[in-house]
Amino acid sequence: MAIIELTDVHKTFMKAREAVEVLMGIDLGVEAGDFVALMGPSGSGKTTLLNIIGGLDGATAGEVVVADANLDALSSRELARWRARTIGFVFQFYNLLPVLNAQRNVELPLLLTKLSGKQRRRNAQTALSIVGLDDRAGHKPGELSGGQQQRVAIARAIVADPPILVCDEPTGDLDRENAEEILDLLRILNRDHGKTVIMVTHDPKAADHAKRILHLDKGKLVQEVAA
Amino acid sequence: MFAQVFEVTVMNLKNLPNRLGSSSVIVVGIGGVVGVLVAILAMASGFQSTLDRGGDPQRAVVLRGGSDNELSSFMNTETINVVASMPGIVEASPELYMVADVPKRSTGTDANLIVRGVSPDAFTLHDEVVIVEGRRFVPGRGEIIAGRGAHVEFAGIDIGNSVKLRQSEWTIVGIFEADGSAYESELWVDLPVAQSAFRLDGGASSMRLRLDSPERVDELAERIESDPRLDLELFGEVEFFARQGGGLTNTIRTFGYAVAVIMAIGAVFAALNTMYAAVVSRTVEIATLRALGFGAFPVVVSVMIESMALALLGGVLGAAVSYFGFNGYTVSTLSNASFSQIAFDFAVTPELLRDGLVWALSLGAIGGLLPAVRAAVLPITVALRGE
Ligand SMILES: Nc1ncnc2c1ncn2[C@@H]1O[C@H](COP(=O)(O)OP(=O)(O)O)[C@@H](O)[C@H]1O
Ligand SMILES: [Mg+2]
C-alpha cells in the first residue's frame, strides 16, 4: 500500500511578478517501509517536492495523499497537527534550538501530545539512545559536533514515532565519516523501526544507501533507478 | 496549548541574555515613559491631596457671590452677623485674606505669601491647626504664627524675626502645622489687628463655618443664596478646596499624559524595532517549531510575552526611580485660583505605580504585536530557507 501518493502535482512560484513553474506534473507512489533518495541539480525543486510531501507547502495543482490524508483538504491548523503525528523532519543545518539542551530539543514534538512530563522525558531518552547519544542529553547544540547535532535532530524527528521521515540533504553539511554514520542511522530506522524515509541528497554515495533513487530535472521525475 | 505557549515563551526568555543590548532599548525606553508619567502624576496627586486635606465635610466657606476664591471676596460686619446667626451653625470664623510679597529662601525673589487674619474662634473651628514651635499670637498685638510650609519656603519666616507686610511691622512668635493642608503655606495674624493695619475696618474676605452636620451644607447654601439681604455663596469646604486646585491639578495631569504619550510613541517604535530584530534573528527557529506542528498562536503569544516582560521590567525600573527619586519631594507652586504659593509633596501612590505598570504592559503589547504576527504568518517554507 502506498503511504505517499502524488498525482500530477504542479507547483508554481511567483518570482518578481513572473510565474515560475518548478514542478510540472509529478506522479509518485512510495510504499510504506521504502527508503527513497531524491536527487537532482540544485534548484530543480527537490526541497519544494519534499515540502509538499511533508505538508509544509501546498501544491498548485494535483493530488497529494500522504498517510491516508488528502493534504489539500486540511486547514493549516489541521495540517500542523497532521505533521506532528505523521512526519519527522531532518534538515541540512539541523535546526536545533540553541538555548535548549539535547534532551529538551528532542522533547519538543512531545509537547504537542498529551504525554506527562515524565513520559516525555523517558521517550526523549529512548530516542537519544537509539541515535547513540544518551550521554550527551544535557549538552546544548553549541557543545556538540555537526554529526552529533544531526543525530539529536534525528532523535527529535523520531521521538513522536511518526511513520515518515523527510530528510532534506541530511548529510550536506557533514564530512564523509559523519555522513556515513547518519546514513547508517537512517537505514537502521528504515529497516528495524519501519520508518518510510524520503531523503534529498546531492551525493551519489548517500543515495546508494536508499532502496530506490529518483531523479528530478526540469520539473519532472525523469528516471527511477532501482538500487 | 498552554504547554506550547509556556515552553516557547521560556525558550524566548532564555534567549534574552544573548540579546541584552537590543533588549535594553525596550527596558530603558519604556522605563523612561513610566518614570516621567508617574513623576508628573505624583506631582498632580500630591498637589491635590494637599488641597483635599483642608476639607472637612462639616465645614463650609462663605464668599461674596460670584467670587470663587477668597482674594476677590469681601463682606461687611452686618453681613457676617446675619450669617453667623443662622440655624445649624456651630462656629463661625470671619477671616481676612491678604497677599504679601516675601522673598523665597531658594531664589531670593519675591513670591506671594498669604496672610490670614483670624479671630480666636478660628482655632476651635480649624482644629487641625496645632502650634509646633513657639506660641499663638496674642490678640491685639502685631504677632504672626507661620505655617510650616511658609517657614520652610520663605526667607526670614523664623521665630523671633520681624517682617514688614504692607508697611506694617509684625513679629513671628510661632510655627504651626495643619495636617499637611494648604494652611501650612500661610501666615496667620489677629483679625482686628489686620483689619486696622490693612485699613479694612470691620470687614472680612470670607467666613468659615462649622455646621452641626454635613447634610446642613446644601440647606444653608440654599438659604444664603436666596436671602435678598445677602450677596453671598456658600460652598462645602471639600468642594471648595477641590475647585481651588482642580484647574491646576488637571493642567498638570494633562501635561503629564501629553509628555508620556509623546515619549510612548518613541518607546513603541523602539520596542517594535527590537522585537522585529528578535523575531528576524529567530526566523528559522520559529519556522522549525511550526514545521514540527507548533501553532501560530503560541508563537504570537510568546513573542508578545517577551516584549511585555521587557516592558514590565522597564516599567518597574521607571516606577522605582520615580518612587525613590520623587516620593515625598517637596515643591511649591502657584495655586492658580488665589495666586499664592502652596507647598506640597509629590505623592507616588500605589494607584500611580499600578497605572505606570499598566502603561508599560500596554506599550510592550503594542510593540510586540506586529513582530509577533509577522513571525506567525511568514510561510514556513520561506522562513526555513532563512533568506
Ligand atoms: N517560496 C519561494 N518563492 C519563490 N521561489 C521559490 C520559493 N521556493 C523555491 N523557489 C524556487 O524554486 C526553485 C526550486 O527550489 P528548491 O525546491 O529549493 O530547489 P532544490 O532544493 O532542488 O535546490 C528555485 O528556483 C527556487 O528559487
Ligand atoms: Mg533544496
Side-chain angles (χ1 to χ4, degrees), chain B residues 123-156:
Chain B
F123 291 98
T124 38
L125 194 144
H126 297 288
D127 48 10
E128 73 274 25
V129 171
V130 283
I131 300 288
V132 293
E133 250 182 88
R135 57 170 176 83
R136 274 191 203 169
F137 56 77
V138 172
R141 284 203 208 153
E143 293 180 343
I144 289 178
I145 57 173
R148 160 81 61 204
H151 163 63
V152 169
E153 292 279 322
F154 286 87

PDB file of all heavy atoms in Angstrom, chain B residues 123-156:
ATOM      1  N   PHE B 123      -9.324  78.920  65.925  1.00  0.00           N
ATOM      2  CA  PHE B 123      -8.523  77.772  66.376  1.00  0.00           C
ATOM      3  C   PHE B 123      -9.389  76.594  66.824  1.00  0.00           C
ATOM      4  O   PHE B 123      -8.966  75.458  66.762  1.00  0.00           O
ATOM      5  CB  PHE B 123      -7.557  78.198  67.488  1.00  0.00           C
ATOM      6  CG  PHE B 123      -6.469  79.110  66.968  1.00  0.00           C
ATOM      7  CD1 PHE B 123      -6.576  80.490  67.110  1.00  0.00           C
ATOM      8  CD2 PHE B 123      -5.366  78.586  66.299  1.00  0.00           C
ATOM      9  CE1 PHE B 123      -5.590  81.329  66.600  1.00  0.00           C
ATOM     10  CE2 PHE B 123      -4.378  79.422  65.796  1.00  0.00           C
ATOM     11  CZ  PHE B 123      -4.497  80.798  65.945  1.00  0.00           C
ATOM     12  N   THR B 124     -10.618  76.875  67.270  1.00  0.00           N
ATOM     13  CA  THR B 124     -11.512  75.752  67.559  1.00  0.00           C
ATOM     14  C   THR B 124     -12.116  75.233  66.263  1.00  0.00           C
ATOM     15  O   THR B 124     -12.285  74.028  66.071  1.00  0.00           O
ATOM     16  CB  THR B 124     -12.636  76.150  68.545  1.00  0.00           C
ATOM     17  OG1 THR B 124     -13.065  77.480  68.250  1.00  0.00           O
ATOM     18  CG2 THR B 124     -12.149  76.048  69.973  1.00  0.00           C
ATOM     19  N   LEU B 125     -12.414  76.160  65.348  1.00  0.00           N
ATOM     20  CA  LEU B 125     -13.003  75.722  64.083  1.00  0.00           C
ATOM     21  C   LEU B 125     -11.989  74.927  63.253  1.00  0.00           C
ATOM     22  O   LEU B 125     -12.282  73.847  62.757  1.00  0.00           O
ATOM     23  CB  LEU B 125     -13.496  76.946  63.313  1.00  0.00           C
ATOM     24  CG  LEU B 125     -14.416  76.640  62.140  1.00  0.00           C
ATOM     25  CD1 LEU B 125     -15.476  77.709  62.006  1.00  0.00           C
ATOM     26  CD2 LEU B 125     -13.625  76.493  60.852  1.00  0.00           C
ATOM     27  N   HIS B 126     -10.770  75.473  63.136  1.00  0.00           N
ATOM     28  CA  HIS B 126      -9.700  74.756  62.413  1.00  0.00           C
ATOM     29  C   HIS B 126      -8.959  73.908  63.419  1.00  0.00           C
ATOM     30  O   HIS B 126      -7.820  74.191  63.781  1.00  0.00           O
ATOM     31  CB  HIS B 126      -8.734  75.740  61.777  1.00  0.00           C
ATOM     32  CG  HIS B 126      -9.355  76.611  60.729  1.00  0.00           C
ATOM     33  ND1 HIS B 126      -9.720  76.153  59.497  1.00  0.00           N
ATOM     34  CD2 HIS B 126      -9.669  77.934  60.743  1.00  0.00           C
ATOM     35  CE1 HIS B 126     -10.226  77.154  58.776  1.00  0.00           C
ATOM     36  NE2 HIS B 126     -10.221  78.247  59.514  1.00  0.00           N
ATOM     37  N   ASP B 127      -9.577  72.826  63.872  1.00  0.00           N
ATOM     38  CA  ASP B 127      -8.946  72.074  64.960  1.00  0.00           C
ATOM     39  C   ASP B 127      -7.707  71.316  64.499  1.00  0.00           C
ATOM     40  O   ASP B 127      -6.984  70.750  65.305  1.00  0.00           O
ATOM     41  CB  ASP B 127      -9.954  71.146  65.638  1.00  0.00           C
ATOM     42  CG  ASP B 127     -10.745  70.330  64.633  1.00  0.00           C
ATOM     43  OD1 ASP B 127     -10.363  70.348  63.434  1.00  0.00           O
ATOM     44  OD2 ASP B 127     -11.731  69.677  65.027  1.00  0.00           O
ATOM     45  N   GLU B 128      -7.428  71.288  63.182  1.00  0.00           N
ATOM     46  CA  GLU B 128      -6.211  70.631  62.698  1.00  0.00           C
ATOM     47  C   GLU B 128      -4.974  71.506  62.904  1.00  0.00           C
ATOM     48  O   GLU B 128      -3.845  71.038  62.731  1.00  0.00           O
ATOM     49  CB  GLU B 128      -6.361  70.252  61.212  1.00  0.00           C
ATOM     50  CG  GLU B 128      -6.309  71.406  60.210  1.00  0.00           C
ATOM     51  CD  GLU B 128      -7.661  72.076  59.982  1.00  0.00           C
ATOM     52  OE1 GLU B 128      -8.521  72.000  60.886  1.00  0.00           O
ATOM     53  OE2 GLU B 128      -7.871  72.689  58.920  1.00  0.00           O
ATOM     54  N   VAL B 129      -5.216  72.772  63.248  1.00  0.00           N
ATOM     55  CA  VAL B 129      -4.077  73.679  63.410  1.00  0.00           C
ATOM     56  C   VAL B 129      -3.466  73.499  64.799  1.00  0.00           C
ATOM     57  O   VAL B 129      -4.155  73.645  65.805  1.00  0.00           O
ATOM     58  CB  VAL B 129      -4.525  75.144  63.208  1.00  0.00           C
ATOM     59  CG1 VAL B 129      -3.403  76.115  63.596  1.00  0.00           C
ATOM     60  CG2 VAL B 129      -4.943  75.370  61.757  1.00  0.00           C
ATOM     61  N   VAL B 130      -2.189  73.119  64.820  1.00  0.00           N
ATOM     62  CA  VAL B 130      -1.506  72.986  66.105  1.00  0.00           C
ATOM     63  C   VAL B 130      -0.178  73.727  66.065  1.00  0.00           C
ATOM     64  O   VAL B 130       0.533  73.695  65.060  1.00  0.00           O
ATOM     65  CB  VAL B 130      -1.230  71.502  66.472  1.00  0.00           C
ATOM     66  CG1 VAL B 130      -2.477  70.821  66.972  1.00  0.00           C
ATOM     67  CG2 VAL B 130      -0.634  70.761  65.292  1.00  0.00           C
ATOM     68  N   ILE B 131       0.116  74.402  67.155  1.00  0.00           N
ATOM     69  CA  ILE B 131       1.395  75.113  67.266  1.00  0.00           C
ATOM     70  C   ILE B 131       2.473  74.078  67.564  1.00  0.00           C
ATOM     71  O   ILE B 131       2.341  73.290  68.501  1.00  0.00           O
ATOM     72  CB  ILE B 131       1.349  76.134  68.425  1.00  0.00           C
ATOM     73  CG1 ILE B 131       0.241  77.177  68.187  1.00  0.00           C
ATOM     74  CG2 ILE B 131       2.717  76.812  68.600  1.00  0.00           C
ATOM     75  CD1 ILE B 131       0.524  78.167  67.089  1.00  0.00           C
ATOM     76  N   VAL B 132       3.533  74.032  66.730  1.00  0.00           N
ATOM     77  CA  VAL B 132       4.591  73.047  66.955  1.00  0.00           C
ATOM     78  C   VAL B 132       5.851  73.689  67.504  1.00  0.00           C
ATOM     79  O   VAL B 132       6.767  73.009  67.966  1.00  0.00           O
ATOM     80  CB  VAL B 132       4.912  72.260  65.664  1.00  0.00           C
ATOM     81  CG1 VAL B 132       3.728  71.389  65.280  1.00  0.00           C
ATOM     82  CG2 VAL B 132       5.310  73.197  64.537  1.00  0.00           C
ATOM     83  N   GLU B 133       5.896  75.015  67.435  1.00  0.00           N
ATOM     84  CA  GLU B 133       7.061  75.739  67.964  1.00  0.00           C
ATOM     85  C   GLU B 133       6.563  77.103  68.413  1.00  0.00           C
ATOM     86  O   GLU B 133       5.678  77.678  67.773  1.00  0.00           O
ATOM     87  CB  GLU B 133       8.089  75.966  66.839  1.00  0.00           C
ATOM     88  CG  GLU B 133       9.368  75.160  66.945  1.00  0.00           C
ATOM     89  CD  GLU B 133      10.310  75.508  65.802  1.00  0.00           C
ATOM     90  OE1 GLU B 133      11.091  76.449  65.977  1.00  0.00           O
ATOM     91  OE2 GLU B 133      10.224  74.851  64.744  1.00  0.00           O
ATOM     92  N   GLY B 134       7.108  77.639  69.501  1.00  0.00           N
ATOM     93  CA  GLY B 134       6.712  78.983  69.958  1.00  0.00           C
ATOM     94  C   GLY B 134       5.303  78.961  70.533  1.00  0.00           C
ATOM     95  O   GLY B 134       4.878  77.987  71.147  1.00  0.00           O
ATOM     96  N   ARG B 135       4.540  80.003  70.258  1.00  0.00           N
ATOM     97  CA  ARG B 135       3.197  80.127  70.860  1.00  0.00           C
ATOM     98  C   ARG B 135       2.253  80.799  69.863  1.00  0.00           C
ATOM     99  O   ARG B 135       2.680  81.245  68.805  1.00  0.00           O
ATOM    100  CB  ARG B 135       3.295  80.964  72.133  1.00  0.00           C
ATOM    101  CG  ARG B 135       3.912  82.345  71.847  1.00  0.00           C
ATOM    102  CD  ARG B 135       3.803  83.282  73.029  1.00  0.00           C
ATOM    103  NE  ARG B 135       4.481  84.540  72.771  1.00  0.00           N
ATOM    104  CZ  ARG B 135       3.911  85.555  72.101  1.00  0.00           C
ATOM    105  NH1 ARG B 135       2.680  85.450  71.628  1.00  0.00           N
ATOM    106  NH2 ARG B 135       4.595  86.672  71.900  1.00  0.00           N
ATOM    107  N   ARG B 136       0.959  80.841  70.237  1.00  0.00           N
ATOM    108  CA  ARG B 136      -0.006  81.589  69.428  1.00  0.00           C
ATOM    109  C   ARG B 136       0.224  83.084  69.544  1.00  0.00           C
ATOM    110  O   ARG B 136       0.837  83.547  70.502  1.00  0.00           O
ATOM    111  CB  ARG B 136      -1.419  81.306  69.939  1.00  0.00           C
ATOM    112  CG  ARG B 136      -2.035  80.078  69.342  1.00  0.00           C
ATOM    113  CD  ARG B 136      -3.517  80.044  69.695  1.00  0.00           C
ATOM    114  NE  ARG B 136      -3.991  78.681  69.613  1.00  0.00           N
ATOM    115  CZ  ARG B 136      -5.168  78.278  70.063  1.00  0.00           C
ATOM    116  NH1 ARG B 136      -5.989  79.152  70.642  1.00  0.00           N
ATOM    117  NH2 ARG B 136      -5.531  77.030  69.945  1.00  0.00           N
ATOM    118  N   PHE B 137      -0.294  83.833  68.591  1.00  0.00           N
ATOM    119  CA  PHE B 137      -0.238  85.301  68.725  1.00  0.00           C
ATOM    120  C   PHE B 137      -1.201  85.731  69.841  1.00  0.00           C
ATOM    121  O   PHE B 137      -2.187  85.058  70.124  1.00  0.00           O
ATOM    122  CB  PHE B 137      -0.575  86.000  67.405  1.00  0.00           C
ATOM    123  CG  PHE B 137      -1.910  85.614  66.824  1.00  0.00           C
ATOM    124  CD1 PHE B 137      -3.116  86.134  67.333  1.00  0.00           C
ATOM    125  CD2 PHE B 137      -1.971  84.738  65.733  1.00  0.00           C
ATOM    126  CE1 PHE B 137      -4.330  85.773  66.781  1.00  0.00           C
ATOM    127  CE2 PHE B 137      -3.191  84.380  65.183  1.00  0.00           C
ATOM    128  CZ  PHE B 137      -4.377  84.898  65.712  1.00  0.00           C
ATOM    129  N   VAL B 138      -0.871  86.866  70.468  1.00  0.00           N
ATOM    130  CA  VAL B 138      -1.746  87.429  71.497  1.00  0.00           C
ATOM    131  C   VAL B 138      -2.706  88.398  70.806  1.00  0.00           C
ATOM    132  O   VAL B 138      -2.271  89.260  70.045  1.00  0.00           O
ATOM    133  CB  VAL B 138      -0.915  88.171  72.569  1.00  0.00           C
ATOM    134  CG1 VAL B 138      -1.836  88.914  73.534  1.00  0.00           C
ATOM    135  CG2 VAL B 138      -0.002  87.189  73.288  1.00  0.00           C
ATOM    136  N   PRO B 139      -4.019  88.253  71.035  1.00  0.00           N
ATOM    137  CA  PRO B 139      -4.969  89.154  70.382  1.00  0.00           C
ATOM    138  C   PRO B 139      -4.627  90.613  70.673  1.00  0.00           C
ATOM    139  O   PRO B 139      -4.275  90.956  71.799  1.00  0.00           O
ATOM    140  CB  PRO B 139      -6.318  88.773  71.006  1.00  0.00           C
ATOM    141  CG  PRO B 139      -6.150  87.352  71.421  1.00  0.00           C
ATOM    142  CD  PRO B 139      -4.714  87.212  71.822  1.00  0.00           C
ATOM    143  N   GLY B 140      -4.727  91.434  69.668  1.00  0.00           N
ATOM    144  CA  GLY B 140      -4.452  92.855  69.812  1.00  0.00           C
ATOM    145  C   GLY B 140      -3.009  93.230  69.524  1.00  0.00           C
ATOM    146  O   GLY B 140      -2.683  94.391  69.375  1.00  0.00           O
ATOM    147  N   ARG B 141      -2.138  92.186  69.389  1.00  0.00           N
ATOM    148  CA  ARG B 141      -0.736  92.516  69.102  1.00  0.00           C
ATOM    149  C   ARG B 141      -0.393  92.186  67.650  1.00  0.00           C
ATOM    150  O   ARG B 141      -1.010  91.324  67.036  1.00  0.00           O
ATOM    151  CB  ARG B 141       0.184  91.679  69.986  1.00  0.00           C
ATOM    152  CG  ARG B 141       0.249  92.167  71.410  1.00  0.00           C
ATOM    153  CD  ARG B 141       1.545  91.691  72.022  1.00  0.00           C
ATOM    154  NE  ARG B 141       1.387  91.534  73.466  1.00  0.00           N
ATOM    155  CZ  ARG B 141       2.104  90.683  74.190  1.00  0.00           C
ATOM    156  NH1 ARG B 141       2.997  89.896  73.598  1.00  0.00           N
ATOM    157  NH2 ARG B 141       1.930  90.621  75.493  1.00  0.00           N
ATOM    158  N   GLY B 142       0.647  92.885  67.197  1.00  0.00           N
ATOM    159  CA  GLY B 142       1.085  92.635  65.823  1.00  0.00           C
ATOM    160  C   GLY B 142       1.968  91.408  65.744  1.00  0.00           C
ATOM    161  O   GLY B 142       3.155  91.491  65.444  1.00  0.00           O
ATOM    162  N   GLU B 143       1.420  90.237  66.018  1.00  0.00           N
ATOM    163  CA  GLU B 143       2.198  88.997  66.036  1.00  0.00           C
ATOM    164  C   GLU B 143       1.701  88.028  64.968  1.00  0.00           C
ATOM    165  O   GLU B 143       0.536  88.053  64.582  1.00  0.00           O
ATOM    166  CB  GLU B 143       2.100  88.337  67.422  1.00  0.00           C
ATOM    167  CG  GLU B 143       2.787  89.178  68.495  1.00  0.00           C
ATOM    168  CD  GLU B 143       2.704  88.549  69.883  1.00  0.00           C
ATOM    169  OE1 GLU B 143       1.857  87.643  70.091  1.00  0.00           O
ATOM    170  OE2 GLU B 143       3.478  88.963  70.746  1.00  0.00           O
ATOM    171  N   ILE B 144       2.619  87.183  64.556  1.00  0.00           N
ATOM    172  CA  ILE B 144       2.322  86.250  63.461  1.00  0.00           C
ATOM    173  C   ILE B 144       2.609  84.820  63.913  1.00  0.00           C
ATOM    174  O   ILE B 144       3.624  84.586  64.591  1.00  0.00           O
ATOM    175  CB  ILE B 144       3.238  86.540  62.231  1.00  0.00           C
ATOM    176  CG1 ILE B 144       2.825  87.843  61.560  1.00  0.00           C
ATOM    177  CG2 ILE B 144       3.219  85.370  61.239  1.00  0.00           C
ATOM    178  CD1 ILE B 144       3.712  88.208  60.388  1.00  0.00           C
ATOM    179  N   ILE B 145       1.748  83.891  63.524  1.00  0.00           N
ATOM    180  CA  ILE B 145       2.191  82.494  63.535  1.00  0.00           C
ATOM    181  C   ILE B 145       2.290  82.053  62.075  1.00  0.00           C
ATOM    182  O   ILE B 145       1.466  82.441  61.229  1.00  0.00           O
ATOM    183  CB  ILE B 145       1.257  81.556  64.344  1.00  0.00           C
ATOM    184  CG1 ILE B 145      -0.162  81.603  63.817  1.00  0.00           C
ATOM    185  CG2 ILE B 145       1.308  81.903  65.830  1.00  0.00           C
ATOM    186  CD1 ILE B 145      -1.096  80.577  64.449  1.00  0.00           C
ATOM    187  N   ALA B 146       3.320  81.278  61.782  1.00  0.00           N
ATOM    188  CA  ALA B 146       3.599  80.908  60.386  1.00  0.00           C
ATOM    189  C   ALA B 146       3.377  79.407  60.197  1.00  0.00           C
ATOM    190  O   ALA B 146       3.760  78.598  61.049  1.00  0.00           O
ATOM    191  CB  ALA B 146       5.034  81.257  60.026  1.00  0.00           C
ATOM    192  N   GLY B 147       2.752  79.068  59.087  1.00  0.00           N
ATOM    193  CA  GLY B 147       2.604  77.654  58.738  1.00  0.00           C
ATOM    194  C   GLY B 147       3.974  77.038  58.466  1.00  0.00           C
ATOM    195  O   GLY B 147       4.911  77.732  58.056  1.00  0.00           O
ATOM    196  N   ARG B 148       4.091  75.735  58.688  1.00  0.00           N
ATOM    197  CA  ARG B 148       5.349  75.023  58.480  1.00  0.00           C
ATOM    198  C   ARG B 148       5.891  75.239  57.057  1.00  0.00           C
ATOM    199  O   ARG B 148       7.083  75.488  56.860  1.00  0.00           O
ATOM    200  CB  ARG B 148       5.119  73.525  58.767  1.00  0.00           C
ATOM    201  CG  ARG B 148       6.123  72.572  58.174  1.00  0.00           C
ATOM    202  CD  ARG B 148       7.381  72.440  58.966  1.00  0.00           C
ATOM    203  NE  ARG B 148       7.148  71.932  60.315  1.00  0.00           N
ATOM    204  CZ  ARG B 148       7.995  72.154  61.330  1.00  0.00           C
ATOM    205  NH1 ARG B 148       9.084  72.867  61.143  1.00  0.00           N
ATOM    206  NH2 ARG B 148       7.747  71.663  62.518  1.00  0.00           N
ATOM    207  N   GLY B 149       5.015  75.177  56.076  1.00  0.00           N
ATOM    208  CA  GLY B 149       5.437  75.329  54.677  1.00  0.00           C
ATOM    209  C   GLY B 149       5.955  76.729  54.410  1.00  0.00           C
ATOM    210  O   GLY B 149       6.969  76.924  53.731  1.00  0.00           O
ATOM    211  N   ALA B 150       5.256  77.748  54.965  1.00  0.00           N
ATOM    212  CA  ALA B 150       5.683  79.133  54.772  1.00  0.00           C
ATOM    213  C   ALA B 150       7.057  79.331  55.408  1.00  0.00           C
ATOM    214  O   ALA B 150       7.941  79.978  54.837  1.00  0.00           O
ATOM    215  CB  ALA B 150       4.661  80.080  55.389  1.00  0.00           C
ATOM    216  N   HIS B 151       7.256  78.728  56.575  1.00  0.00           N
ATOM    217  CA  HIS B 151       8.529  78.824  57.298  1.00  0.00           C
ATOM    218  C   HIS B 151       9.661  78.215  56.469  1.00  0.00           C
ATOM    219  O   HIS B 151      10.749  78.778  56.356  1.00  0.00           O
ATOM    220  CB  HIS B 151       8.358  78.108  58.644  1.00  0.00           C
ATOM    221  CG  HIS B 151       9.642  77.757  59.336  1.00  0.00           C
ATOM    222  ND1 HIS B 151      10.540  78.691  59.770  1.00  0.00           N
ATOM    223  CD2 HIS B 151      10.155  76.539  59.672  1.00  0.00           C
ATOM    224  CE1 HIS B 151      11.566  78.086  60.352  1.00  0.00           C
ATOM    225  NE2 HIS B 151      11.355  76.775  60.294  1.00  0.00           N
ATOM    226  N   VAL B 152       9.375  77.062  55.841  1.00  0.00           N
ATOM    227  CA  VAL B 152      10.407  76.364  55.078  1.00  0.00           C
ATOM    228  C   VAL B 152      10.719  77.096  53.776  1.00  0.00           C
ATOM    229  O   VAL B 152      11.868  77.204  53.369  1.00  0.00           O
ATOM    230  CB  VAL B 152       9.961  74.904  54.788  1.00  0.00           C
ATOM    231  CG1 VAL B 152      10.892  74.244  53.773  1.00  0.00           C
ATOM    232  CG2 VAL B 152       9.887  74.098  56.074  1.00  0.00           C
ATOM    233  N   GLU B 153       9.699  77.630  53.143  1.00  0.00           N
ATOM    234  CA  GLU B 153       9.875  78.159  51.791  1.00  0.00           C
ATOM    235  C   GLU B 153      10.312  79.628  51.743  1.00  0.00           C
ATOM    236  O   GLU B 153      10.921  80.053  50.775  1.00  0.00           O
ATOM    237  CB  GLU B 153       8.561  78.010  51.006  1.00  0.00           C
ATOM    238  CG  GLU B 153       8.172  76.567  50.704  1.00  0.00           C
ATOM    239  CD  GLU B 153       8.926  76.027  49.487  1.00  0.00           C
ATOM    240  OE1 GLU B 153       9.119  76.806  48.518  1.00  0.00           O
ATOM    241  OE2 GLU B 153       9.319  74.852  49.514  1.00  0.00           O
ATOM    242  N   PHE B 154       9.952  80.408  52.763  1.00  0.00           N
ATOM    243  CA  PHE B 154      10.164  81.857  52.645  1.00  0.00           C
ATOM    244  C   PHE B 154      11.272  82.362  53.575  1.00  0.00           C
ATOM    245  O   PHE B 154      11.404  81.907  54.714  1.00  0.00           O
ATOM    246  CB  PHE B 154       8.861  82.606  52.925  1.00  0.00           C
ATOM    247  CG  PHE B 154       7.881  82.503  51.791  1.00  0.00           C
ATOM    248  CD1 PHE B 154       7.001  81.436  51.726  1.00  0.00           C
ATOM    249  CD2 PHE B 154       7.863  83.450  50.773  1.00  0.00           C
ATOM    250  CE1 PHE B 154       6.104  81.323  50.670  1.00  0.00           C
ATOM    251  CE2 PHE B 154       6.976  83.343  49.714  1.00  0.00           C
ATOM    252  CZ  PHE B 154       6.093  82.277  49.653  1.00  0.00           C
ATOM    253  N   ALA B 155      12.025  83.313  53.078  1.00  0.00           N
ATOM    254  CA  ALA B 155      13.167  83.844  53.823  1.00  0.00           C
ATOM    255  C   ALA B 155      12.674  84.695  54.991  1.00  0.00           C
ATOM    256  O   ALA B 155      11.719  85.466  54.851  1.00  0.00           O
ATOM    257  CB  ALA B 155      14.044  84.679  52.889  1.00  0.00           C
ATOM    258  N   GLY B 156      13.307  84.525  56.125  1.00  0.00           N
ATOM    259  CA  GLY B 156      13.024  85.368  57.280  1.00  0.00           C
ATOM    260  C   GLY B 156      11.795  84.968  58.061  1.00  0.00           C
ATOM    261  O   GLY B 156      11.431  85.620  59.041  1.00  0.00           O
TER     262      GLY B 156
END
